[in-house]
Every structure is written in C-alpha cells, then in structure tokens.
C-alpha cells in the first residue's frame, strides 16, 4: 500500500466523530496547559494516563498528541502577554513578543505566532508523512544486535542532551534502568530489587512513575517557586490582525523556522529549545531592521514559534518509527503506547497501520483546529491566567492521586506515587532530568531482551555487536557522543596554552 492510500486510511480513522472529539479535547487541553506556567504537556499526559485505560487506543493517543502540539501553541500566549514562558521552548518568544505587547502590538504578535505554528505544524506533518516510511524500511533491516545498539545510543543521547549535565543525565538513566529491573525476571524466575515486598514482585507500573515524576514532582516544584517571580499581565490593545507589512516580514521566518526545527526534532538534540534560539539568531542576522530586536521585532516571534512547532512534530518520526523518544513529552507518549500493549517501531506500521496513520492524519486535523481555536478564543485563554495557583496545584495533586489509586485500588501505589513525587521534586531541585528515568525504565527491559537474544544467536560471543555493520556504527556514535564534550574541552585548553 502506498503512502497516499495509507494516509487516506488514516484520515478515515481520524475523521470519525469520536476521534475528532478526542482531537478537539487534546487541542483544548494542550492550549490550556501551554498557557498555564508550570503545567506542561508532559505533566498533563502523565496525569491523564491512569484515567484513559478504558479509552480506545487510537482516541487516547490522538488526544495525547493534541495536548503535545497544542501546548506549543498555548505557550506563546503566556510568553507574549505575561513575559513568562508557559513552555521552555517559548523562552525566545517571550523576549520579543512581550516587547511587542508593551508597544500595543500584542495582537499581531499572537497572530504571527498562531499562523506560524499552523504553517510549521502542517509542513512538518508532511515531512513526518513522507519520512516515516523511509525510516521504517531501514528499521525493518534491524536484528537483535542492531536494536540493542540503537537503544544504547538512545540511552546515551537522551541522557546527554535532556539536562544541563551529562553526568546527572546518566545518573537519572541508571535510576530508570534499575526501576525497570524491579520484579521477577522472565527467564530465570528470580526476583530482582523487590526487597521482599510482595507488591514489587510484578514490577512497578510505568504510569505510576510517570505521574509521580512529572505530575507530583513538577507540581511540588512549581508550588515551591510560587511568589518568587513578579508577573505582570499586558493588556490586549489595538487590532489582533496583522497588517500587510507584518505578513511580509513573517513569511520568511515561518519557513526558515520550520526548516530548522523539523530536523532537530527528529534527532535526540534536547527538544525544541535549541532550534528556537538558532532561528532567533538567524532572523536577527537576516532582518532588515536588526535595531528592532530586543524592542519587539516580529521576526523574533515568527521564526522561533515556527521552529518549536516543527520540532515537536519532528519528534514523532523517531518515536513512531524506531520507538525512540527524543524529548520529555515523547518519553511519556511512549509510556502511553505501552499502556495499550503497543511498542512503537517498524513493526507497529505493519501490525497497527490504521492506528499509526490515523495518528499522523490527526496532526493535519489538529493543526487546523488550533488555528481556529487560538486567535478567536485568546480572551478565554488569558482568563486561565487568573486561576489561583494554590488551588490549581492542589487540584493536580488530587487528580493524580485519584488516577493512580483508581488503577488497582492499592494504597501501596499511592504511597509509591508520593515517594516518587518527592524524588522527582529533589531531582528537579538539583538539576537531574526526569525524562531519562522514564526512557531507562521502558527501554531497559527491551534492551536487556535484545542483548540476550543477540548473545544467544552468537553463542555468547560479544563481538556480534561490532561485527554487524549498523550495530558497529551506532555503538561508534555512542562513544563519540560520550567523548565529544571532553575532547572539545581538551582541544580548547590545548589551543589556549599554545596561544
């Protein structure tokens, strides 16, 4: 079946009334959490995982994806009007967008942000549509050694780029790998890290860890920062529509931002922050009015907003085709797939073709929905900023508790949730990224299985990982990523001494 036929099949799934409703709910929730500082898409998806276990997989995943890219739209509203990025990827938007708002141009800033997000999201979805089958074709050539090497590469890149320190990222990863080992080993029947606690013999639910780290931990952290930041909401004045000159100055940045953001999303490069800064730097260099940067240049909003939306769609390429999450929210989405007994990767395109293409088709639908929802309803989104933070955070904790308890009606799960939540708060407080924990927990057991199968094929010969071409290249890349920072520092010191 060619790509067009599969995409049409996907639209048949995405355009059912039920899935359209899930897409709409996802877009609304995503925009809302993007607007609210401290409540990101990872927290929201984690929070919804326990209560969507009875929902059909396609509907739930379409909703989760809507939350992910909807948050990218919503984050710009807070950045422009409040100068507080709702999402880390909208930091650059706050720099120029808030200056535009102070000059009475909040409307054009919000408009270029929403239209740019639509343009970037649509172009990136086209890229996702045509690039995914090519990556799947490559993935089908992988055997156990290649998969093991790919997962080792994923462990290293995610730990190295999702956080400020590689060492802290690796510590988080090893914590996740250890949690993934809890329970009875399927091959030997031995209990591992269960500490004679009967509830741990079946392992720990990924959902409990995700909700604990991202919902409870992040909420406690956000609550601890309450009142430390001075927030001033800029009033909407003037027209919301862009003038002809605004359109001319925005079009180029939209396209360039998309071309920068999408490739960054497809590789483990630390999420959408880097492409937004690159886009900002490029627009500052190319702009005919560089003196306006720092005072409210529309190019400084249009380019970075396009970059962060294209990047968020790009993360779906490695997630769907290879099962590799390249951002924190993608790691939570991976756990959502596993909740339904699905493992993203090349085989998912063959075994659940309708679901995967339905999800991809929902991106086209969701982008149109977000464009329609964002600008006309901007007054409603601004009202969300008036919700008292203490009540909001308390509501999140109550919701998280009820969701986790509802899964198995187990008091032990609630105790575990808050123990992990406290751990998540301490990790956030001291700069340890949480996403590698989820990646290690989910991919660790899979990597162990692939390693065992590889050694079984080679009769215990470890050289199988370097004698297979693809596997050797992937492991070589892993070593390079680990050594590159030290090598760069060494060369810098050497240059300094010689000069």
């Amino acid at each position: 079946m060619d790509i067009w036929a599969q995409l049409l099949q996907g639209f048949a799934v995405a355009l059912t009334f039920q899935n359209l409703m899930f897409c709409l709910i996802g877009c609304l929730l995503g925009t809302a959490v993007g607007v609210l500082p401290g409540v990101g898409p990872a927290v929201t998806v984690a929070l919804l995982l326990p209560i969507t276990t009875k929902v059909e997989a396609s509907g739930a995943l379409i909703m989760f994806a809507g939350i992910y890219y909807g948050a990218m739209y919503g984050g710009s509203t807070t950045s422009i009007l409040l100068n507080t990025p709702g999402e880390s990827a909208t930091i650059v938007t706050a720099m120029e967008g808030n200056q535009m708002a102070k000059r009475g141009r909040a409307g054009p800033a919000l408009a270029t942000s929403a239209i740019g997000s639509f343009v970037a999201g649509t172009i990136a979805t086209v890229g996702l549509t045509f690039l995914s089958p090519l990556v799947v074709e490559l993935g089908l050539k992988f055997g156990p050694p290649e998969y093991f090497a790919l997962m080792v590469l994923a462990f290293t890149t995610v730990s190295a780029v999702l956080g400020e320190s590689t060492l802290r990222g690796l510590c988080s990863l090893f914590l996740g790998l250890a949690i993934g080992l809890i329970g009875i080993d399927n091959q030997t029947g031995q209990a591992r890290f269960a500490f004679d606690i009967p509830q741990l013999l079946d392992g720990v639910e990924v959902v409990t860890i995700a909700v604990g780290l991202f919902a409870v931990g992040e909420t406690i952290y956000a609550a601890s920062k309450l009142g430390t930041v001075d927030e001033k909401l800029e009033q909407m004045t003037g027209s919301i529509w862009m003038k002809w000159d605004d359109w001319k100055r925005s079009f180029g940045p939209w396209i360039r931002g998309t071309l920068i953001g999408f490739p960054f999303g497809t590789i483990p490069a630390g999420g959408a922050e880097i492409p937004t800064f690159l886009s900002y730097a490029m627009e500052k260099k190319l702009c005919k009015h560089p003196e306006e940067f720092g005072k409210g240049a529309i190019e400084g909003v249009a380019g970075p907003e396009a970059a962060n939306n294209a990047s968020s769609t790009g993360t779906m390429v490695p997630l769907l085709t290879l099962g590799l999450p390249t951002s924190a929210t993608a790691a939570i989405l991976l756990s959502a797939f596993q909740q339904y007994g699905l493992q993203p990767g090349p085989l998912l395109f063959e075994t659940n073709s309708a679901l995967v293409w339905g999800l991809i088709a929902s991106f086209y639908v969701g982008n149109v929905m977000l464009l329609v929802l964002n600008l006309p309803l901007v007054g409603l989104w601004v009202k969300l900023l008036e919700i008292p933070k203490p009540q909001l955070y308390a509501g999140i904790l109550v919701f998280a508790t009820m969701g986790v308890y509802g899964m198995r009606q187990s008091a032990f799960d609630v105790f575990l949730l808050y123990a992990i939540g406290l751990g998540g708060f301490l990790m956030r407080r001291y700069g340890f990224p949480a996403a590698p924990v989820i990646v290690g927990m989910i991919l660790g057991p899979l990597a162990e299985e692939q390693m065992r199968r590889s050694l079984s094929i080679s009769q215990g010969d470890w050289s199988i990982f370097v004698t297979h071409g693809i596997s050797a290249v992937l492991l070589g890349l892993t070593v390079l990523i680990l050594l590159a920072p030290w090598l760069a520092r060494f060369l810098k010191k050497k240059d300094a001494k010689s000069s």
Side-chain angles (χ1 to χ4, degrees), residues 336-371:
F337 273 96
Q338 292 215 328
Q339 179 175 262
Y340 291 98
L342 301 169
Q343 178 57 43
L347 293 179
L348 189 67
F349 277 76
E350 293 191 347
T351 56
N352 286 280
S353 169
L355 183 146
V356 177
W357 284 100
L359 185 59
I360 292 174
S362 76
F363 278 59
Y364 290 97
V365 180
N367 269 303
V368 177
M369 281 185 180
L370 283 166
L371 183 65

Short mmCIF file of all heavy atoms in Angstrom, two decimals, residues 336-371:
data_model
loop_
_atom_site.label_atom_id
_atom_site.label_comp_id
_atom_site.label_asym_id
_atom_site.label_seq_id
_atom_site.Cartn_x
_atom_site.Cartn_y
_atom_site.Cartn_z
N ALA A 336 2.55 5.87 27.12
CA ALA A 336 1.13 5.78 26.75
C ALA A 336 0.92 4.64 25.76
O ALA A 336 -0.04 3.87 25.86
CB ALA A 336 0.65 7.10 26.16
N PHE A 337 1.83 4.51 24.79
CA PHE A 337 1.73 3.39 23.84
C PHE A 337 1.81 2.06 24.60
O PHE A 337 1.05 1.13 24.34
CB PHE A 337 2.88 3.46 22.83
CG PHE A 337 2.59 4.32 21.63
CD1 PHE A 337 3.00 5.64 21.57
CD2 PHE A 337 1.90 3.81 20.54
CE1 PHE A 337 2.73 6.43 20.47
CE2 PHE A 337 1.62 4.57 19.43
CZ PHE A 337 2.04 5.90 19.40
N GLN A 338 2.76 1.99 25.54
CA GLN A 338 2.96 0.73 26.27
C GLN A 338 1.76 0.40 27.16
O GLN A 338 1.49 -0.76 27.43
CB GLN A 338 4.22 0.83 27.10
CG GLN A 338 5.47 0.88 26.23
CD GLN A 338 6.65 0.18 26.84
OE1 GLN A 338 6.78 0.15 28.05
NE2 GLN A 338 7.50 -0.40 26.01
N GLN A 339 1.06 1.43 27.59
CA GLN A 339 -0.13 1.19 28.40
C GLN A 339 -1.16 0.36 27.63
O GLN A 339 -1.94 -0.39 28.22
CB GLN A 339 -0.74 2.55 28.78
CG GLN A 339 -2.00 2.45 29.60
CD GLN A 339 -2.48 3.82 30.05
OE1 GLN A 339 -2.23 4.24 31.16
NE2 GLN A 339 -3.17 4.52 29.18
N TYR A 340 -1.14 0.50 26.31
CA TYR A 340 -2.07 -0.26 25.46
C TYR A 340 -1.42 -1.52 24.86
O TYR A 340 -1.95 -2.10 23.91
CB TYR A 340 -2.59 0.63 24.33
CG TYR A 340 -3.51 1.71 24.85
CD1 TYR A 340 -3.05 2.99 25.07
CD2 TYR A 340 -4.84 1.43 25.15
CE1 TYR A 340 -3.88 3.98 25.57
CE2 TYR A 340 -5.68 2.40 25.65
CZ TYR A 340 -5.20 3.68 25.86
OH TYR A 340 -6.03 4.64 26.36
N GLY A 341 -0.25 -1.89 25.39
CA GLY A 341 0.44 -3.07 24.89
C GLY A 341 1.03 -2.87 23.51
O GLY A 341 1.25 -3.84 22.77
N LEU A 342 1.29 -1.60 23.14
CA LEU A 342 1.85 -1.30 21.81
C LEU A 342 3.30 -0.87 21.96
O LEU A 342 3.64 -0.12 22.88
CB LEU A 342 1.06 -0.17 21.14
CG LEU A 342 -0.43 -0.42 20.92
CD1 LEU A 342 -1.12 0.89 20.52
CD2 LEU A 342 -0.64 -1.48 19.84
N GLN A 343 4.16 -1.34 21.08
CA GLN A 343 5.55 -0.92 21.08
C GLN A 343 5.85 -0.18 19.78
O GLN A 343 5.90 -0.79 18.71
CB GLN A 343 6.48 -2.14 21.22
CG GLN A 343 7.96 -1.80 21.18
CD GLN A 343 8.37 -0.80 22.27
OE1 GLN A 343 7.95 -0.91 23.42
NE2 GLN A 343 9.17 0.19 21.91
N PRO A 344 6.01 1.16 19.84
CA PRO A 344 6.33 1.89 18.62
C PRO A 344 7.59 1.35 17.96
O PRO A 344 8.54 0.96 18.64
CB PRO A 344 6.54 3.33 19.11
CG PRO A 344 5.79 3.42 20.37
CD PRO A 344 5.90 2.05 21.00
N GLY A 345 7.62 1.35 16.65
CA GLY A 345 8.76 0.83 15.90
C GLY A 345 8.29 0.40 14.52
O GLY A 345 7.10 0.55 14.19
N PRO A 346 9.18 -0.15 13.72
CA PRO A 346 8.82 -0.53 12.33
C PRO A 346 7.64 -1.50 12.27
O PRO A 346 6.79 -1.39 11.39
CB PRO A 346 10.10 -1.20 11.81
CG PRO A 346 11.17 -0.78 12.71
CD PRO A 346 10.59 -0.45 14.02
N LEU A 347 7.59 -2.43 13.23
CA LEU A 347 6.53 -3.45 13.17
C LEU A 347 5.15 -2.84 13.48
O LEU A 347 4.14 -3.38 13.03
CB LEU A 347 6.82 -4.58 14.16
CG LEU A 347 8.05 -5.43 13.82
CD1 LEU A 347 8.27 -6.51 14.87
CD2 LEU A 347 7.89 -6.08 12.44
N LEU A 348 5.14 -1.72 14.21
CA LEU A 348 3.85 -1.09 14.53
C LEU A 348 3.16 -0.61 13.24
O LEU A 348 1.94 -0.63 13.14
CB LEU A 348 4.07 0.09 15.48
CG LEU A 348 2.81 0.72 16.06
CD1 LEU A 348 2.10 -0.25 17.00
CD2 LEU A 348 3.12 2.01 16.80
N PHE A 349 3.97 -0.17 12.25
CA PHE A 349 3.40 0.28 10.97
C PHE A 349 2.76 -0.88 10.21
O PHE A 349 1.91 -0.68 9.36
CB PHE A 349 4.48 0.93 10.11
CG PHE A 349 4.74 2.37 10.47
CD1 PHE A 349 5.46 2.70 11.61
CD2 PHE A 349 4.25 3.40 9.68
CE1 PHE A 349 5.70 4.03 11.95
CE2 PHE A 349 4.47 4.73 10.01
CZ PHE A 349 5.20 5.04 11.15
N GLU A 350 3.20 -2.12 10.50
CA GLU A 350 2.61 -3.28 9.82
C GLU A 350 1.46 -3.86 10.62
O GLU A 350 0.43 -4.23 10.06
CB GLU A 350 3.69 -4.34 9.62
CG GLU A 350 4.79 -3.90 8.64
CD GLU A 350 5.71 -5.05 8.25
OE1 GLU A 350 5.66 -6.10 8.90
OE2 GLU A 350 6.48 -4.86 7.30
N THR A 351 1.63 -3.95 11.96
CA THR A 351 0.61 -4.60 12.77
C THR A 351 -0.55 -3.67 13.14
O THR A 351 -1.67 -4.14 13.34
CB THR A 351 1.24 -5.15 14.07
OG1 THR A 351 1.88 -4.07 14.74
CG2 THR A 351 2.26 -6.23 13.78
N ASN A 352 -0.29 -2.36 13.25
CA ASN A 352 -1.34 -1.41 13.62
C ASN A 352 -1.31 -0.21 12.67
O ASN A 352 -1.26 0.94 13.09
CB ASN A 352 -1.15 -0.93 15.06
CG ASN A 352 -1.53 -1.98 16.07
OD1 ASN A 352 -2.71 -2.18 16.38
ND2 ASN A 352 -0.53 -2.68 16.58
N SER A 353 -1.34 -0.53 11.38
CA SER A 353 -1.21 0.51 10.36
C SER A 353 -2.30 1.58 10.50
O SER A 353 -2.02 2.78 10.40
CB SER A 353 -1.29 -0.15 8.98
OG SER A 353 -1.43 0.81 7.99
N ALA A 354 -3.54 1.16 10.74
CA ALA A 354 -4.66 2.10 10.82
C ALA A 354 -4.45 3.08 11.99
O ALA A 354 -4.70 4.28 11.86
CB ALA A 354 -5.97 1.35 10.99
N LEU A 355 -3.96 2.55 13.12
CA LEU A 355 -3.75 3.41 14.29
C LEU A 355 -2.66 4.44 14.02
O LEU A 355 -2.83 5.63 14.29
CB LEU A 355 -3.39 2.54 15.49
CG LEU A 355 -3.21 3.28 16.82
CD1 LEU A 355 -3.68 2.39 17.97
CD2 LEU A 355 -1.76 3.66 17.08
N VAL A 356 -1.51 3.98 13.46
CA VAL A 356 -0.39 4.90 13.24
C VAL A 356 -0.77 5.98 12.23
O VAL A 356 -0.55 7.18 12.46
CB VAL A 356 0.84 4.12 12.73
CG1 VAL A 356 1.97 5.09 12.42
CG2 VAL A 356 1.30 3.12 13.75
N TRP A 357 -1.37 5.57 11.11
CA TRP A 357 -1.71 6.56 10.08
C TRP A 357 -2.89 7.43 10.54
O TRP A 357 -3.00 8.60 10.13
CB TRP A 357 -1.98 5.88 8.75
CG TRP A 357 -0.69 5.44 8.11
CD1 TRP A 357 -0.15 4.18 8.11
CD2 TRP A 357 0.26 6.28 7.44
NE1 TRP A 357 1.08 4.18 7.48
CE2 TRP A 357 1.35 5.45 7.06
CE3 TRP A 357 0.32 7.62 7.13
CZ2 TRP A 357 2.47 5.94 6.38
CZ3 TRP A 357 1.43 8.12 6.45
CH2 TRP A 357 2.49 7.29 6.08
N GLY A 358 -3.75 6.89 11.39
CA GLY A 358 -4.81 7.71 11.97
C GLY A 358 -4.22 8.81 12.85
O GLY A 358 -4.67 9.96 12.85
N LEU A 359 -3.16 8.45 13.60
CA LEU A 359 -2.49 9.42 14.46
C LEU A 359 -1.82 10.50 13.61
O LEU A 359 -1.93 11.70 13.91
CB LEU A 359 -1.44 8.69 15.31
CG LEU A 359 -0.69 9.49 16.35
CD1 LEU A 359 -1.64 10.11 17.36
CD2 LEU A 359 0.34 8.62 17.07
N ILE A 360 -1.14 10.08 12.53
CA ILE A 360 -0.47 11.06 11.65
C ILE A 360 -1.52 11.98 11.00
O ILE A 360 -1.34 13.21 10.94
CB ILE A 360 0.38 10.34 10.58
CG1 ILE A 360 1.57 9.63 11.24
CG2 ILE A 360 0.87 11.32 9.52
CD1 ILE A 360 2.39 8.77 10.32
N ALA A 361 -2.62 11.39 10.53
CA ALA A 361 -3.67 12.21 9.90
C ALA A 361 -4.27 13.20 10.89
O ALA A 361 -4.64 14.32 10.53
CB ALA A 361 -4.76 11.29 9.34
N SER A 362 -4.34 12.80 12.17
CA SER A 362 -4.92 13.70 13.18
C SER A 362 -4.07 14.96 13.37
O SER A 362 -4.57 15.98 13.83
CB SER A 362 -5.08 12.96 14.52
OG SER A 362 -3.83 12.83 15.17
N PHE A 363 -2.78 14.89 13.01
CA PHE A 363 -1.93 16.07 13.10
C PHE A 363 -2.40 17.16 12.14
O PHE A 363 -2.38 18.35 12.46
CB PHE A 363 -0.48 15.70 12.77
CG PHE A 363 0.27 15.11 13.93
CD1 PHE A 363 -0.17 13.95 14.54
CD2 PHE A 363 1.43 15.70 14.40
CE1 PHE A 363 0.52 13.41 15.61
CE2 PHE A 363 2.13 15.16 15.47
CZ PHE A 363 1.67 14.01 16.07
N TYR A 364 -2.81 16.73 10.93
CA TYR A 364 -3.31 17.72 9.95
C TYR A 364 -4.59 18.36 10.51
O TYR A 364 -4.77 19.58 10.46
CB TYR A 364 -3.64 17.03 8.62
CG TYR A 364 -2.43 16.55 7.84
CD1 TYR A 364 -2.00 15.23 7.91
CD2 TYR A 364 -1.72 17.43 7.02
CE1 TYR A 364 -0.91 14.78 7.19
CE2 TYR A 364 -0.61 16.99 6.30
CZ TYR A 364 -0.21 15.66 6.39
OH TYR A 364 0.88 15.23 5.68
N VAL A 365 -5.48 17.51 11.03
CA VAL A 365 -6.77 18.00 11.55
C VAL A 365 -6.52 18.91 12.76
O VAL A 365 -7.11 19.99 12.88
CB VAL A 365 -7.66 16.80 11.95
CG1 VAL A 365 -8.99 17.29 12.50
CG2 VAL A 365 -7.88 15.87 10.77
N GLY A 366 -5.65 18.47 13.66
CA GLY A 366 -5.38 19.23 14.89
C GLY A 366 -4.80 20.60 14.61
O GLY A 366 -5.13 21.57 15.29
N ASN A 367 -3.94 20.70 13.60
CA ASN A 367 -3.35 22.00 13.27
C ASN A 367 -4.40 22.99 12.82
O ASN A 367 -4.36 24.17 13.17
CB ASN A 367 -2.29 21.83 12.18
CG ASN A 367 -0.92 21.59 12.77
OD1 ASN A 367 -0.43 22.40 13.55
ND2 ASN A 367 -0.31 20.47 12.43
N VAL A 368 -5.37 22.52 12.03
CA VAL A 368 -6.46 23.40 11.59
C VAL A 368 -7.30 23.81 12.81
O VAL A 368 -7.65 24.98 12.97
CB VAL A 368 -7.34 22.69 10.53
CG1 VAL A 368 -8.52 23.58 10.15
CG2 VAL A 368 -6.52 22.34 9.30
N MET A 369 -7.60 22.84 13.67
CA MET A 369 -8.39 23.14 14.88
C MET A 369 -7.70 24.21 15.72
O MET A 369 -8.33 25.15 16.21
CB MET A 369 -8.55 21.89 15.74
CG MET A 369 -9.61 20.92 15.25
SD MET A 369 -9.77 19.58 16.44
CE MET A 369 -11.04 18.60 15.64
N LEU A 370 -6.39 24.07 15.90
CA LEU A 370 -5.66 25.00 16.77
C LEU A 370 -5.64 26.41 16.19
O LEU A 370 -5.72 27.39 16.93
CB LEU A 370 -4.23 24.50 16.98
CG LEU A 370 -4.14 23.35 17.98
CD1 LEU A 370 -2.79 22.67 17.90
CD2 LEU A 370 -4.37 23.86 19.40
N LEU A 371 -5.53 26.50 14.86
CA LEU A 371 -5.54 27.82 14.23
C LEU A 371 -6.88 28.51 14.47
O LEU A 371 -6.95 29.70 14.76
CB LEU A 371 -5.30 27.68 12.72
CG LEU A 371 -5.22 29.00 11.94
CD1 LEU A 371 -4.02 29.83 12.38
CD2 LEU A 371 -5.16 28.76 10.44
#
